[in-house]
Amino acid sequence: LINPTFSRCYLSDFISKNINAKKKITFKGDNANQHENKLRLNLLNYDEIIGNINPQLPEFLKLHLLFKHLFPAFFPKPLKPLLKLKSSERSWACTFYRENKLRPNKTICFFPGTGTNIRKYNKFGEALETFQNYNDCDILILGHKSDFDLGRTSTSKLKNVVNHCGKTSLSQCIALLSYARCAFGSET
């Protein structure tokens, strides 16, 4: 059994503990989703713990390191990004932020859409409202054009919101994300 979650929650550790497997492997991880003492106890349920992973690495690099550790012959070279932003795309994003009065590093990108209706959640705005009450931030809504209405209704009580669902290419979306403080959503 491989539990590939870096910031493991109690539920994933509970499932791992109760599955009969010859070997159980996980990251040492961090205590972002459970108390440090509980995390230490849950690590006892694993046979192999992969440590010394920088928690600041993006998730795909953490997973790369996990699989490189497990299958070194298949991963001779480090992963490289498949998409590189052009300077014109970065310039476009910078202009977009300026024209929409969004502040780099104070903007939260919100993706309201999901691949399936069962995962749609229309109360993200409440969490964002609470967050915005304690933090000076702007909200940039991104996603497919079908997410526009969900983004609008979810954030109707918020200030400093720009809904740009369905109006960007993939590379433009990435360029906008490169200036943001963080991004979140049901699948982000």
Side-chain angles (χ1 to χ4, degrees), residues 117-186:
N117 284 336
I118 197 163
R119 290 196 304 264
K120 281 195 177 169
Y121 183 66
N122 62 359
K123 301 209 183 255
F124 275 125
E126 293 174 19
L128 279 169
E129 184 178 17
T130 301
F131 185 81
Q132 214 177 40
N133 287 337
Y134 294 98
N135 298 276
D136 181 26
C137 65
D138 305 322
I139 310 296
L140 173 58
I141 309 170
L142 297 168
H144 189 266
K145 63 183 176 183
S146 64
D147 302 328
F148 189 91
D149 288 338
L150 180 59
R152 182 179 43 78
T153 57
S154 295
T155 59
S156 62
K157 295 181 182 178
L158 302 177
K159 55 187 185 249
N160 305 336
V161 177
V162 175
N163 188 340
H164 214 60
C165 287
K167 299 177 182 177
T168 60
S169 65
L170 178 60
S171 58
Q172 288 173 327
C173 182
I174 293 168
L176 291 171
L177 286 168
S178 73
Y179 288 100
R181 176 81 178 165
C182 67
F184 82 96
S186 294

Side-chain angles (χ1 to χ4, degrees), residues 20 65 100 111 161:
N20 187 15
L65 292 171
N100 288 281
F111 292 85
V161 177

Side-chain angles (χ1 to χ4, degrees), residues 67-123:
F67 286 105
K68 184 176 180 179
H69 175 83
L70 296 172
F71 312 106
F74 292 105
F75 294 92
K77 297 178 185 175
L79 290 177
K80 293 182 181 175
L82 296 175
L83 181 68
K84 293 189 180 191
L85 294 175
K86 299 174 189 170
S87 60
S88 60
E89 292 163 332
R90 290 185 190 279
S91 177
W92 173 86
C94 188
T95 301
F96 179 90
Y97 269 73
R98 187 176 59 254
E99 288 176 354
N100 288 281
K101 298 180 176 58
L102 296 170
R103 297 164 294 168
N105 294 321
K106 287 204 174 235
T107 297
I108 297 173
C109 290
F110 167 46
F111 292 85
T114 63
T116 61
N117 284 336
I118 197 163
R119 290 196 304 264
K120 281 195 177 169
Y121 183 66
N122 62 359
K123 301 209 183 255

